Amino acid sequence: MDNSSYDGLRQSAIAAGIGLNFYNAYGHLQEISEESLSKLLAALDTDAAHKIDKDRLLDPVYVTYQGDEQHYTIRNADLFKWELRLEDGTLKANGQQDWPSLHFPSDLPLGYHTLTLTKLSGTPTEKETRIIVAPKRCFEPKALQEHKRLWGACVQLYTLRSENNWGVGDFGDLKQLVRKVSEKGGAYVGLNPLHSLFPANPASASPYAPSSRRWLNVIYIDVTAVEDYQNSDEAQTWFKRQDIQNRLQMARNTEYVDYSLAQELKLEALEIAYKQFKQRPQTDLLHTQFAEFVQKGGDSLYQQAAFDALHSKLAEHDKMQWGWPVWDKSYSDFHSPAVTEYCKQNADKVNFYLWLQWIAAAQLEACYQESQSLEMPIGIYRDLAVGVGEGGAEIWGDKDLYCLGASVGAPPDVLGPQGQNWGLPPMHPAVMFDRAYQPFIDLLRANMASCGALRMDHVMGLLRLWWIPYSQTADKGAYVHFNVDHFLAILALESQRHQCMLIGEDLGTVPPEIVEKLKNSAVYSYKVVYFENANNHFFAPYDYIQQAIATITTHDLPTLRGYWEKNDFDLGRSLGVYKDEGVLHHLSEDRDWKKQGMLDALHQHGCLPHDYQRDAKQVQMDATLNRAVHQFIAQSKTALIGLQPEDWLDMSSPVNIPGTSEEYPNWRRKLTHSIEEIFAQQNVSDLLNLVNHHRNS
C-alpha cells in the first residue's frame, strides 16, 4: 500500500473510532497493522450504517447533565419550527425561527425528552431528537453513603447444591442463600450473569456468551415452587415415578452440572405445569399478570420465545443446529415469512417459552423481595455480560445493531499470552447512536430489575473494546472507541431510577482516561487481592480505595487454595493454555514472589500469629492461612468485599479457565457441599464472625 493510500486508511480508521495503536500489557506502544485496520473498517461498513441519515438538522441524541444550559446548532435549515416535550408528554416550549441555534435553560428535569424539528424551507421534513438529561452520579445505597463497610457472598448460581434442587442451583436455592447470608450479617448475594442461554443446546453453558442479555436463563426456575406444578396431579404423579427419582438423584450427585439432564427434567415438569396453567379461567389473576408481563416485554420478549421454540424444534432432528447461522436460510432471520408462519402454527409452543420467562422473572423478584424484607442494604447484585453469542436470539432479531464481521475479546497479556477471542459480535457504535442509545437503555433496565447492584463485566467497554476481525486470532485486533461520557450519563440516570448501584469490573489494562470518569460517576471499582501489589509488595488494607469492592478471587481466577498451590499453572500446561515453557516458568517464579509478598503482608497487618512460618516456600495452605487472608480483606477500606464459598470450603478446582472451551468443564463445577451443610459448619460460622468483626470495627 502506498503512503497516500495508507494515510487514507488511517484517517478512515480514526473517523470510525478505531485506535491506530495502544499500550500493551508490557507498557509498550504497539501499532495496529494495515490488514487489521482494513478488516475492521470492512466490519463497520454494514447496510445499517449506510442507512443512517447524514443530513439531519440535529444529531439523533444529545446527552447533558441536570443543571447545565443547552445550546444546539441547527444544520442546513433556513426556516424551521420546533417543539420540546418532556418525557411525561408535557409541552415545555415551542416556536418558529430562522436563526440556526436553540437555547434551553438549565431547569430541564431528569429524563428522556423529545425535541421535534420541522424544516419549512425547501422540502418539508420532520425529525425527532432525544434530549437525555442525567444526574452526575449513580445511585449509592444509604449504608454506603454512611460509610459502612459491607460484605456479601459471590456465587455462580448453578454451582449451588441443596437438598431440593434438580442438579443445578436455582432461584429456590438463591432465596435460601439470601436468608443464610443475611443471618450471618451479609449485605448481599452476588451472582453470575442470569442471561438467557440456549434451552435446546444446554451444553452452551457460558453465562458470558448468552443468547440474550435482556431475558433470563430458564434453567434457574425452581420447579417445585411453581404454583401450577404444585396443583397438578399429573405433575405429582410424574415426580413420584422411580425413573424420575433416579434421574433427579443422578443430577444432584454429579460433581459437575449435567445441564442436559437438568434441562430435560425441568422442561418435562414445566410442560406439565403449563398444561395446568392453561386450565385456569382467563379472568384468573395469574393469567392477567402473565398477559401484562408479555405486553410489557414487547417484541424483544416475543423474539426470545420464538427463538427458543424454533430452536427446540430444529434441535430435535439435528443437535448441531446450535444457532441461527447454521439454520435453514428461511429461518435465519426473526422477521422472515417462514418464522412468522412457524410462530402462527406453533403459537402454544411460543407461549410456553413466554410463560417460562414470566415464571423466571417472578421467582427472581421474589428472591430480591426476600432480601429487602430482611433489610439487606443491597440484597442481590447481578452481573451484566459484555456481549452476546453470535448464534442467539438477540442478534437473530436485530442484526442491524451488530457488526457480524468482528468479535470482541482481549489483546495478549501476561496471564493470557495468546489473547482472548470471546466470539461475541460487538454492537455498531454508529447504529447505537442513531437509535439514541435505546438498545443500551433497554439493556440496563432489564438488568437493573430485581437487584440492588449491577456489576458490569469489562466496564472499560464503555470507553473502548478490543475488536477482532472475524475468524482472526486475538492478536490481530484493535481497540474501537465509544462515547464514554454518554454511556456514563445514561448509566447514572437508570441507576438512580432503579435505585441500583454500579460496580465496574476494571481489571487488566485500564486506560487512565476512564479511571477518573468512573470515580466521578460513582461507579465502584473492582479490586482483587491477588493483583493489589507493586513489586510483590501487597498494598495495606488501609491503602485500598473506599469506592470499590474487593475480592480475593474471581470466576476467571484460581481459588485461594488453587492460587497458593499454583494449580492454575498445572492445569494451564496440561490444557495447552501456556504453550511457551519459558513464559510458564516466569509466571511460576513470579507467583512464588507474590506468595511471599502476601505472607509478609498478612504478618505485617496482624492477620497471622507471630510464630506462624514466615517463609512462603515452607507454608502449605491451611485453615490459619485461609482465615488470615479473609481477615486481611475484611480489614480493607473498600466499601464492599465479596467472598466466595469456594474459599470457605477450601476448594482447589476453578469454575472457569480462560482460553479453554472443550478442554475443561467450564461453568459446570459445583460446590463440594450443599447450602445446608455450608452454614451448618462451625468453621464457616467462625470465619464469617471474623469477617463481621473486622468489617464493623
Side-chain angles (χ1 to χ4, degrees):
M1 181 179 290
D2 60 41
N3 287 339
S4 61
S5 297
Y6 182 47
D7 288 343
L9 175 66
R10 290 166 61 89
Q11 290 301 318
S12 295
I14 292 170
I18 304 172
L20 303 180
N21 49 48
F22 72 103
Y23 283 95
N24 63 24
Y26 305 96
H28 302 140
L29 188 65
Q30 186 169 325
E31 297 293 325
I32 304 301
S33 70
E34 294 177 17
E35 180 184 12
S36 292
L37 293 178
S38 295
K39 289 184 175 180
L40 289 176
L41 280 169
L44 285 160
D45 189 28
T46 64
D47 289 341
H50 284 288
K51 295 174 185 174
I52 293 173
D53 183 1
K54 308 290 194 303
D55 297 320
R56 295 177 60 103
L57 302 181
L58 285 175
D59 288 341
V61 59
Y62 290 86
V63 183
T64 186
Y65 288 104
Q66 189 173 39
D68 292 348
E69 292 192 355
Q70 299 160 60
H71 301 268
Y72 304 107
T73 301
I74 312 302
R75 301 187 293 262
N76 306 319
D78 297 323
L79 182 64
F80 63 92
K81 65 179 181 179
W82 59 272
E83 175 184 281
L84 177 64
R85 286 193 179 273
L86 303 182
E87 186 176 12
D88 63 4
T90 303
L91 178 62
K92 176 69 174 177
N94 63 355
Q96 180 172 312
Q97 62 189 61
D98 58 4
W99 59 91
S101 64
L102 285 174
H103 169 262
F104 296 112
S106 59
D107 64 349
L108 287 184
L110 296 174
Y112 303 93
H113 313 307
T114 303
L115 175 61
T116 303
L117 290 180
T118 304
K119 179 181 176 182
L120 300 177
S121 58
T123 304
T125 57
E126 181 177 287
K127 293 289 183 180
E128 289 186 350
T129 286
R130 171 175 276 175
I131 309 295
I132 301 176
V133 182
K136 293 186 177 178
R137 289 176 63 82
C138 294
F139 171 78
E140 294 176 275
K142 181 181 178 183
L144 298 188
Q145 293 179 38
E146 295 172 347
H147 304 294
K148 292 182 179 178
R149 298 188 303 155
L150 310 176
W151 71 269
C154 295
V155 302
Q156 302 284 302
L157 183 54
Y158 52 85
T159 67
L160 296 180
R161 294 178 184 266
S162 71
E163 296 172 355
N164 298 313
N165 78 32
W166 288 19
V168 59
D170 60 30
F171 290 132
D173 295 330
L174 176 57
K175 184 180 284 190
Q176 183 182 8
L177 184 62
V178 163
R179 289 194 291 265
K180 294 291 187 181
V181 169
S182 174
E183 289 170 6
K184 296 299 183 181
Y188 67 88
V189 172
L191 300 168
N192 57 284
L194 303 177
H195 310 319
S196 60
L197 296 184
F198 299 84
N201 182 21
S204 184
S206 171
Y208 291 94
S211 175
S212 171
R213 291 178 292 173
R214 288 189 58 185
W215 305 104
L216 296 171
N217 186 352
V218 297
I219 205 170
Y220 292 136
I221 291 173
D222 176 5
V223 176
T224 59
V226 177
E227 187 174 332
D228 284 295
Y229 172 83
Q230 298 169 350
N231 295 339
S232 169
D233 292 337
E234 182 184 354
Q236 301 311 309
T237 300
W238 173 89
F239 180 75
K240 292 173 184 176
R241 281 168 32 191
Q242 191 59 50
D243 63 317
I244 299 302
Q245 287 297 309
N246 292 343
R247 289 161 68 197
L248 281 169
Q249 202 58 43
M250 185 186 306
R252 289 191 186 111
N253 291 343
T254 56
E255 180 182 0
Y256 297 95
V257 176
D258 186 334
Y259 283 106
S260 295
L261 178 56
Q263 189 79 273
E264 187 178 273
L265 284 164
K266 290 199 171 193
L267 288 179
E268 284 182 28
L270 289 165
E271 283 175 352
I272 298 171
Y274 176 59
K275 285 165 59 178
Q276 181 75 19
F277 172 77
K278 288 190 295 182
Q279 294 176 16
R280 293 174 176 269
Q282 289 299 312
T283 55
D284 185 271
L285 178 60
L286 290 184
H287 260 302
T288 302
Q289 292 173 346
F290 173 52
E292 291 172 350
F293 175 81
V294 171
Q295 182 179 21
K296 184 178 178 181
D299 292 342
S300 174
L301 175 59
Y302 189 81
Q303 171 184 309
Q304 178 69 56
F307 179 91
D308 288 339
L310 179 55
H311 194 190
S312 69
K313 173 202 170 185
L314 298 174
E316 282 178 9
H317 306 290
D318 181 1
K319 294 297 183 184
M320 299 304 292
Q321 297 285 307
W322 52 269
W324 65 264
V326 296
W327 292 355
D328 183 278
K329 189 175 181 180
S330 64
Y331 290 136
S332 65
D333 191 288
F334 170 62
H335 305 283
S336 73
V339 171
T340 301
E341 183 61 23
Y342 170 82
C343 293
K344 180 179 177 182
Q345 296 297 325
N346 298 271
D348 192 57
K349 188 71 171 178
V350 175
N351 212 50
F352 170 64
Y353 282 99
L354 291 170
W355 182 79
L356 291 182
Q357 287 294 333
W358 173 59
I359 293 293
Q363 290 194 353
L364 175 59
E365 176 63 17
C367 293
Y368 180 59
Q369 290 305 320
E370 180 76 7
S371 75
Q372 297 308 285
S373 70
L374 295 168
E375 298 183 351
M376 297 175 80
I378 296 172
I380 288 175
Y381 118 31
R382 294 177 63 179
D383 196 349
L384 175 60
V386 71
V388 289
E390 175 189 6
E394 193 168 311
I395 295 178
W396 181 61
D398 193 1
K399 293 181 185 142
D400 283 349
L401 182 59
Y402 293 87
C403 291
L404 300 181
S407 64
V408 297
D413 60 21
V414 177
L415 294 177
Q418 303 169 64
Q420 298 178 46
N421 187 334
W422 303 326
L424 311 173
M427 289 183 178
H428 198 304
V431 175
M432 176 76 81
F433 183 69
D434 189 57
R435 296 189 187 181
Y437 298 117
Q438 192 60 47
F440 182 63
I441 296 164
D442 291 339
L443 189 61
L444 293 179
R445 289 174 177 172
N447 285 275
M448 288 181 179
S450 304
C451 66
L454 179 64
R455 173 188 181 272
M456 295 193 71
D457 190 46
H458 198 69
V459 74
M460 285 86 76
L462 298 175
L463 171 71
R464 67 182 193 182
L465 276 175
W466 185 255
W467 284 33
I468 306 159
Y470 193 80
S471 78
Q472 299 292 301
T473 52
D475 60 315
K476 304 297 185 185
Y479 280 112
V480 175
H481 293 256
F482 302 88
N483 193 321
V484 62
D485 295 320
H486 285 187
F487 282 139
L488 286 173
I490 295 167
L491 265 181
L493 178 55
E494 292 300 325
S495 169
Q496 292 287 356
R497 287 188 166 185
H498 287 82
Q499 301 284 278
C500 178
M501 70 174 293
L502 265 296
I503 298 166
E505 186 270 292
D506 53 356
L507 303 177
T509 305
V510 183
E513 59 263 40
I514 198 175
V515 174
E516 200 66 19
K517 290 179 182 292
L518 292 172
K519 178 183 176 182
N520 292 339
S521 296
V523 176
Y524 279 55
S525 186
Y526 201 84
K527 304 297 180 184
V528 178
V529 170
Y530 297 163
F531 301 148
E532 290 302 297
N533 62 83
N535 300 318
N536 302 318
H537 173 77
F538 276 72
F539 302 145
Y542 49 75
D543 285 334
Y544 280 62
I545 62 173
Q546 184 273 334
Q547 190 178 296
I549 179 173
T551 68
I552 297 172
T553 185
T554 76
H555 60 267
D556 281 336
L557 296 170
T559 63
L560 182 54
R561 173 171 286 279
Y563 178 88
W564 197 263
E565 296 178 345
K566 300 195 286 189
N567 292 347
D568 51 325
F569 297 145
D570 294 335
L571 276 169
R573 177 191 286 112
S574 66
L575 299 173
V577 175
Y578 301 106
K579 300 183 185 299
D580 187 322
E581 282 292 328
V583 170
L584 186 58
H585 178 72
H586 172 75
L587 290 173
S588 182
E589 281 192 329
D590 183 66
R591 178 69 58 81
D592 288 333
W593 283 108
K594 284 185 168 53
K595 285 167 59 178
Q596 185 62 58
M598 180 182 289
L599 189 65
D600 293 344
L602 295 176
H603 272 293
Q604 180 182 352
H605 298 288
C607 301
L608 283 169
H610 183 74
D611 59 354
Y612 193 84
Q613 174 64 252
R614 292 175 181 267
D615 182 354
K617 292 180 180 178
Q618 305 301 317
V619 174
Q620 301 295 316
M621 177 55 61
D622 59 17
T624 301
L625 184 57
N626 184 302
R627 284 171 57 87
V629 177
H630 279 85
Q631 178 177 331
F632 183 86
I633 193 173
Q635 290 175 181
S636 74
K637 199 170 70 174
T638 58
L640 303 171
I641 64 170
L643 309 177
Q644 283 75 19
E646 284 89 342
D647 293 331
W648 307 347
L649 299 172
D650 198 29
M651 294 174 63
S652 62
S653 60
V655 75
N656 175 55
I657 299 180
T660 65
S661 52
E662 301 301 322
E663 301 91 339
Y664 183 81
N666 294 323
W667 318 116
R668 290 167 171 79
R669 193 265 292 126
K670 299 181 184 179
L671 297 178
T672 53
H673 294 70
S674 68
I675 299 171
E676 298 87 355
E677 292 167 340
I678 291 171
F679 289 93
Q681 292 186 19
Q682 188 60 48
N683 66 308
V684 172
S685 291
D686 292 344
L687 185 67
L688 297 182
N689 287 337
L690 177 74
V691 169
N692 274 314
H693 171 73
H694 287 282
R695 286 269 88 189
N696 295 326
S697 62

